[in-house]
Amino acid sequence: MGTLPHAFSLFALILLLTSGTGADQSTKTQAIFKGSTGIGAIVDTSSRIGKEEIVAMEVAKEDFYSFGNLTFLLINDSQKDTIHAALEAKDLIDTRQVQAIIGPRTWEEVPLVAEIARETQVPILSFADTAPEWATERWPSLLQASPDKRAQMKAVAAIVQSWNWHQVIVIYEDTDSSARGVIPHLHDALREVNSEVSQFVAFSPFATSDSMSKELENIKSKQFCRVFVVHLSFKLAVRLFEMAKKMEMMKKDYVWITTDPFTSLVHSINASVISSMKGILGVRSYFPKMGRRFETFNQRFRTRFSRKFPLEEKKEPGIYAVQAYDAMRTIALGLNKAGSKGGGKELLENILDADFRGLSGKVKLKNQKVAAAEIFEIVNVIGTGYNELGYWTYWSNGSGFSENIHENSTYNSSMIDLEQVHWPGGPRYTPRGWTTLTSAKLFRIGVASLSGYEEYVKVESDDRLGTNFSGFANEVFKATTASMPFFPPYEFQYFNGSYNELVEQLHLKNFDAVVGDVKIVASRHQYAEFTYPYTETGLVLIVPVRSSSKAWSFIKPFTATMWVLISVITVYNGFVVWWIERKHCDELQGSIPNQIGIMIWLSFNTLFSLNGPKLHSNLSRMSGVVWLFVALIIIQTYTANLSSMLTVQRLEPTITSVEELLNSNAMVGYCTGTMERYLTEVLKFKTQNLQHFRSAENYSEGFEDKNISAAFLGTPSAKIFLAKYCNSFIQIGPTYKIGGFGFAFPRGSPLLASMNEVLLNLSEKGKLQELEKTWITPQKCPKMPSDSSSLGPSGFRELFFITACTTTIAFVIYVCRPNLLRHKNIWGIISAVLKRWVSPRRHFTSRRVPNVEISIPEIHLKQTKLSTK
């Protein structure tokens, strides 16, 4: 909008210089048209578009002559000049006193024409493809009669996506309507389908053949991309393709996609001209070429067009003709509704209320604009004509290609299912969209020359052979790009600097991608985007190892839970045996502390002695035998596990956890700047307790010099480090989830999605694992025995269950057997059991029993002698 004041001032100057000379003629003309109802039009009469509009409006005038006393149609020539178009508009409004104006066609002409009609509010029905949002607010009488065709840029992007092309070159006309209104939408549409514009080429509307030739030669020699999107006016596009054919750029491997300004006039190209455009794929506005109304219009249009422009070889109407016809009908309906005296604001309101099905489709204005185009036709230039391949439709919920337009149409996201495309290289050959010419610009791949391990990145310089790049990271990159349907030719370039500086080079456009053991961290995303990690992700803690202490080794064969469970089962079995046997031996009775002591002694005597006490009851024998069997297994297992622990050398870490490092203020090593941020912000290490190392290889020196007590490494580097120092260091603690190694690309790179897809395929096919085995030495260190070597209850669960059930069954049978016959219900049994427990307790606690210092076998011997007497 900043250029408008200058244009308005220039126009005012011209009006000032010309207003006096035509005053008399103006007065005479006003008298002629006073009281008449007419429509004015501003067209470029020398162009094919202007010719189609003239004939279509004349046909429409005949059809709507009786509407609103429509008496005349005045068509003025803009002569392709902005100022001249404004002068013609002033003539139509002030002198001819027309009720409405159709045109102009370009946005460069619209502002001046609309400014002239601003005071009188004469409706201006413009055919400009795009108009800024503020235009309708500044000029209320300005109406956009041509559908906004910016959606066609999504159709172009869908074509590019269908053939998996990731880079295109855009050639456009250097006008405000293109540079500001169309090209940004094309750029955004291509980004949505993971494609990018490798180069914008702007041609002036008055470009010479020499300038066009030089620009095409520059593209051909320096750009590997061979997919071109052309958004030029018709005549400029024809000159471009004639030049491209001479330069052999209409052959194999080239792709040319044209937009509406050219494609909508492809029906008018002579056979001698169109022969230089074979293989062009174009997008144009769709209008239904069927029905009685269109057939009648088509016949009348051809007849009048042949008579008016006999030198034109092709006579059929295009989208511009039917739009002009519908614009005439819109104004005629408004005049009919307003009456003979209607005009200005009243006519404008009537036009805004228009709602009908025209030759170009549905005509209904909303916010002073016709609804945006939703259907576009895909055409392919072949031989001396063109073929209609299908359609691309855009709606609120999606978009897609189809072979026809009706309610039951099937839509696909790809145009591959449409008719066969005849490309510049031949009907059956699908262009790659790029070339391998050595003169083309190569992708620059930055490689970290200061890698921590040569297994990942190895850079070797040789005076005779040059620089050689190898290693796991480089080989993964080569395998990935080789599997992609498209990746530009590239070359590796080493970089001497930090990893952060290397990634920043993408933002500075010094590299097109970065390869190496580059960690994926959040702070680097401001400069680049990363692929999926091709290695394991994580951060681990490495510490030195030492021989473990054998103190308290006798309790380590079993876990704490196992010891508790053994104690509980032992006491429980002893209790049941004591309960069953106590009536056979007075020494098993007495005071409560005495009975508890005897019960515990009885329990563990069974566990640790094969010559246990003599038992009288079969129930206690049953319980004792099962428990003795279990005890033998437990004792033998304990002995075997303890022997193993005492004879095998065990290594243990010098530091057991991150918390111990934090509490002791020990020095910790790290080798990348991004790791420092994680250690300080997440793990809460103090900055003064961290020591930076240039690479992970230097960690061993730091440990030897006692400069650090522990070190953090990424999971990929930790594998190599532990494999090299398998008997000196060990990994402890959890793996902290951070990004692994990935390839970096500039933000918004269209290659990123394809790289990720191929990386996943290589991983699923096992290719990444094969490369890892080839380049990275597998870890062969023996694993350090951990607390898991202590045996827990899980392996003895069934044995404990059997002995517990056996003892419980014996206890229940013993308690309930005397009462089963005497009592008929459960309450009687419970009462008898309680009495049996209380009465003996009272009897024996009242007696003074000396301390028992006799063994159970001696007690049984005395009882036997007494019974004999």
Side-chain angles (χ1 to χ4, degrees):
M1 190 173 178
T3 60
L4 289 178
H6 175 71
F8 290 150
S9 61
L10 178 62
F11 175 62
L13 178 61
I14 294 175
L15 290 181
L16 183 63
L17 294 175
T18 59
S19 58
T21 57
D24 295 339
Q25 181 65 29
S26 175
T27 303
K28 295 178 181 179
T29 308
Q30 288 178 6
I32 295 174
F33 291 99
K34 186 175 182 180
S36 302
T37 302
I39 300 175
I42 302 175
V43 300
D44 177 11
T45 57
S46 64
S47 67
R48 172 70 187 209
I49 296 177
K51 293 175 181 179
E52 288 192 15
E53 289 175 340
I54 291 171
V55 174
M57 287 188 289
E58 290 177 351
V59 173
K61 178 180 175 295
E62 295 177 355
D63 291 343
F64 309 118
Y65 181 80
S66 61
F67 280 58
N69 296 322
L70 177 59
T71 57
F72 65 91
L73 169 67
L74 294 176
I75 301 175
N76 289 4
D77 186 6
S78 68
Q79 299 182 12
K80 302 179 183 179
D81 183 75
T82 302
I83 301 301
H84 194 83
L87 290 174
E88 295 299 331
K90 182 173 178 59
D91 175 66
L92 291 173
I93 295 174
D94 295 344
T95 305
R96 311 302 178 99
Q97 296 183 350
V98 295
Q99 272 64 41
I101 293 178
I102 297 176
R105 171 64 59 180
T106 66
W107 167 247
E108 286 73 21
E109 299 170 345
V110 169
L112 295 179
V113 174
E115 189 68 24
I116 294 172
R118 184 176 183 181
E119 183 177 351
T120 59
Q121 292 191 351
V122 172
I124 307 295
L125 276 70
S126 167
F127 290 132
D129 287 343
T130 58
E133 296 295 333
W134 51 264
T136 54
E137 297 179 3
R138 182 177 180 87
W139 302 296
S141 63
L142 176 62
L143 308 177
Q144 186 173 341
S146 173
D148 190 337
K149 300 183 181 67
R150 283 179 285 193
Q152 73 171 307
M153 299 307 159
K154 292 185 177 293
V156 172
I159 293 175
V160 173
Q161 184 186 30
S162 296
W163 306 101
N164 204 23
W165 296 319
H166 291 284
Q167 289 203 345
V168 301
I169 296 175
V170 175
I171 301 176
Y172 68 97
E173 193 163 350
D174 192 10
T175 60
D176 286 344
S177 58
S178 294
R180 300 181 182 181
V182 176
I183 299 304
H185 291 275
L186 174 60
H187 181 265
D188 294 342
L190 291 171
R191 288 284 297 273
E192 290 177 2
V193 298
N194 295 316
S195 294
E196 70 174 6
V197 180
S198 62
Q199 183 178 353
F200 287 100
V201 180
F203 284 133
S204 167
F206 311 103
T208 63
S209 298
D210 289 341
S211 63
M212 296 178 70
S213 175
K214 290 179 180 178
E215 198 66 53
L216 289 177
E217 184 61 36
N218 184 56
I219 294 173
K220 182 179 179 181
S221 61
K222 296 183 179 180
Q223 287 286 345
F224 60 83
C225 180
R226 289 295 180 259
V227 180
F228 300 91
V229 175
V230 179
H231 184 74
L232 297 174
S233 60
F234 179 73
K235 289 186 177 181
L236 196 58
V238 171
R239 290 175 56 200
L240 173 72
F241 292 126
E242 289 176 346
M243 188 70 63
K245 184 174 179 59
K246 291 180 181 178
M247 300 177 63
E248 298 184 346
M249 296 178 69
M250 300 295 295
K251 291 186 176 182
K252 182 179 178 181
D253 284 334
Y254 285 88
V255 178
W256 297 91
I257 304 173
T258 59
T259 57
D260 198 71
F262 171 81
T263 316
S264 288
L265 288 174
V266 72
H267 66 279
S268 66
I269 306 177
N270 296 332
S272 60
V273 177
I274 202 172
S275 60
S276 64
M277 306 175 186
K278 293 179 181 179
I280 290 177
L281 197 63
V283 179
R284 70 179 183 183
S285 300
Y286 163 79
F287 66 95
K289 302 173 186 176
M290 61 189 72
R292 185 175 180 180
R293 287 182 53 236
F294 176 78
E295 291 176 359
T296 302
F297 167 78
N298 185 33
Q299 184 177 2
R300 295 171 60 199
F301 178 91
R302 285 171 173 268
T303 302
R304 183 179 288 269
F305 193 88
S306 299
R307 185 169 60 250
K308 198 173 187 69
F309 305 105
L311 297 179
E312 291 287 338
E313 181 179 326
K314 302 297 180 68
K315 317 296 182 183
E316 61 266 26
I319 183 65
Y320 302 112
V322 295
Q323 285 178 352
Y325 183 92
D326 287 341
M328 284 286 292
R329 182 180 177 184
T330 303
I331 298 174
L333 291 174
L335 289 171
N336 184 50
K337 188 175 181 181
S340 59
K341 296 183 179 181
K345 188 174 182 180
E346 184 178 357
L347 176 59
L348 178 63
E349 293 176 353
N350 292 338
I351 292 175
L352 292 173
D353 292 336
D355 187 1
F356 63 91
R357 177 66 64 178
L359 295 179
S360 62
K362 186 174 180 59
V363 178
K364 180 178 176 61
L365 285 88
K366 182 179 181 181
N367 298 327
Q368 298 174 235
K369 298 179 181 180
V370 174
E374 297 178 346
I375 304 175
F376 296 91
E377 194 171 13
I378 312 299
V379 300
N380 183 207
V381 177
I382 54 173
T384 57
Y386 65 94
N387 186 22
E388 298 173 354
L389 302 180
Y391 306 89
W392 183 87
T393 305
Y394 175 79
W395 60 92
S396 58
N397 295 328
S399 59
F401 294 93
S402 61
E403 295 182 355
N404 43 51
I405 300 295
H406 55 70
E407 295 181 357
N408 299 323
S409 297
T410 301
Y411 296 93
N412 298 304
S413 58
S414 173
M415 67 167 292
I416 297 178
D417 295 332
L418 300 181
E419 288 189 37
Q420 175 66 45
V421 180
H422 289 249
W423 302 104
R428 298 293 176 183
Y429 174 79
T430 302
R432 296 181 301 176
W434 57 278
T435 183
T436 56
L437 292 176
T438 55
S439 58
K441 179 183 175 183
L442 296 176
F443 246 42
R444 297 160 299 173
I445 310 299
V447 180
S449 60
L450 301 178
S451 174
Y453 288 103
E454 291 185 348
E455 287 85 348
Y456 279 98
V457 177
K458 187 175 183 180
V459 180
E460 297 175 308
S461 297
D462 187 275
D463 295 337
R464 184 172 57 88
L465 300 176
T467 305
N468 180 49
F469 298 85
S470 59
F472 177 63
N474 291 280
E475 295 304 319
V476 171
F477 183 81
K478 293 176 183 178
T480 304
T481 55
S483 301
M484 292 176 62
F486 164 79
F487 196 88
Y490 61 87
E491 62 178 358
F492 289 119
Q493 298 178 5
Y494 66 88
F495 179 79
N496 291 322
S498 67
Y499 286 92
N500 286 338
E501 292 173 344
L502 175 59
V503 174
E504 190 176 355
Q505 299 306 306
L506 295 172
H507 179 69
L508 299 176
K509 298 184 178 180
N510 293 327
F511 289 127
D512 299 302
V514 166
V515 172
D517 48 344
V518 181
K519 289 186 177 66
I520 303 173
V521 292
S523 60
R524 292 173 178 168
H525 273 272
Q526 60 180 319
Y527 303 118
E529 290 183 307
F530 292 85
T531 63
Y532 295 145
Y534 58 87
T535 62
E536 296 180 44
T537 61
L539 185 68
V540 297
L541 179 61
I542 303 298
V543 298
V545 295
R546 63 186 176 191
S547 298
S548 61
S549 174
K550 291 182 170 57
W552 295 94
S553 297
F554 66 91
I555 65 172
K556 293 183 179 179
F558 291 148
T559 62
T561 305
M562 183 67 174
W563 284 117
V564 171
L565 190 57
I566 291 174
S567 301
V568 170
I569 293 296
T570 300
V571 172
Y572 176 64
N573 280 280
F575 167 75
V576 172
V577 172
W578 168 79
W579 180 271
I580 297 175
E581 293 292 332
R582 66 193 181 93
K583 73 174 184 178
H584 301 289
C585 182
D586 293 342
E587 281 72 12
L588 296 180
Q589 303 174 17
S591 64
I592 292 178
N594 186 64
Q595 293 184 64
I596 292 175
I598 294 175
M599 180 187 66
I600 294 175
W601 171 80
L602 190 64
S603 301
F604 288 94
N605 187 41
T606 304
L607 179 62
F608 297 108
S609 177
L610 295 177
N611 299 319
K614 183 178 181 181
L615 303 177
H616 297 80
S617 173
N618 287 330
L619 295 176
S620 59
R621 293 191 187 103
M622 178 180 69
S623 175
V625 168
V626 175
W627 174 234
L628 181 61
F629 172 74
V630 175
L632 288 173
I633 295 176
I634 291 175
I635 292 172
Q636 295 300 320
T637 303
Y638 172 85
T639 304
N641 202 18
L642 180 60
S643 300
S644 175
M645 289 183 173
L646 294 177
T647 55
V648 177
Q649 182 182 6
R650 288 165 52 85
L651 299 176
E652 64 180 14
T654 55
I655 295 173
T656 58
S657 66
V658 173
E659 290 73 17
E660 184 177 346
L661 284 173
L662 293 172
N663 295 333
S664 63
N665 288 325
M667 293 297 295
V668 177
Y670 70 96
C671 63
T672 60
T674 54
M675 196 182 296
E676 180 184 10
R677 181 179 177 184
Y678 185 86
L679 295 178
T680 55
E681 296 183 3
V682 179
L683 299 183
K684 306 303 181 183
F685 280 94
K686 297 177 182 178
T687 306
Q688 58 269 27
N689 292 337
L690 299 177
Q691 183 173 346
H692 178 263
F693 288 85
R694 189 170 184 178
S695 67
E697 189 67 24
N698 303 125
Y699 278 153
S700 60
E701 299 176 3
F703 282 116
E704 290 177 3
D705 298 338
K706 306 296 182 182
N707 293 329
I708 56 174
S709 301
F712 281 94
L713 283 85
T715 304
S717 300
K719 284 184 177 181
I720 302 176
F721 185 84
L722 292 176
K724 188 173 183 179
Y725 303 100
C726 57
N727 295 321
S728 302
F729 301 96
I730 195 169
Q731 173 186 335
I732 65 166
T735 299
Y736 301 96
K737 293 299 181 182
I738 62 172
F741 295 161
F743 305 127
F745 287 85
R747 294 189 60 82
S749 173
L751 299 172
L752 193 63
S754 296
M755 285 287 292
N756 284 331
E757 182 181 356
V758 174
L759 273 174
L760 289 177
N761 290 333
L762 292 178
S763 178
E764 292 173 359
K765 294 177 181 179
K767 181 64 176 180
L768 293 184
Q769 288 76 6
E770 293 178 7
L771 291 174
E772 185 173 357
K773 290 179 181 179
T774 303
W775 288 96
I776 300 177
T777 304
Q779 184 176 348
K780 299 179 181 179
C781 294
K783 294 184 178 180
M784 184 194 72
S786 61
D787 291 341
S788 60
S789 60
S790 299
L791 300 177
S794 59
F796 303 90
R797 187 180 296 111
E798 290 76 12
L799 293 176
F800 285 137
F801 178 76
I802 292 173
T803 184
C805 288
T806 303
T807 303
T808 302
I809 293 171
F811 179 73
V812 171
I813 293 175
Y814 174 78
V815 171
C816 298
R817 184 174 57 185
N819 304 291
L820 292 176
L821 298 176
R822 286 186 294 169
H823 302 283
K824 298 181 179 179
N825 54 61
I826 189 61
W827 297 110
I829 296 174
I830 294 173
S831 177
V833 170
L834 292 175
K835 288 180 180 180
R836 187 171 181 181
W837 163 258
V838 174
S839 58
R841 184 165 176 258
R842 289 178 179 175
H843 174 71
F844 285 104
T845 54
S846 62
R847 296 172 55 190
R848 292 186 178 180
V849 180
N851 293 334
V852 179
E853 297 181 358
I854 188 171
S855 65
I856 288 183
E858 293 176 345
I859 294 174
H860 294 314
L861 181 60
K862 290 182 178 182
Q863 288 179 344
T864 304
K865 292 180 179 180
L866 290 173
S867 62
T868 304
K869 292 180 179 181

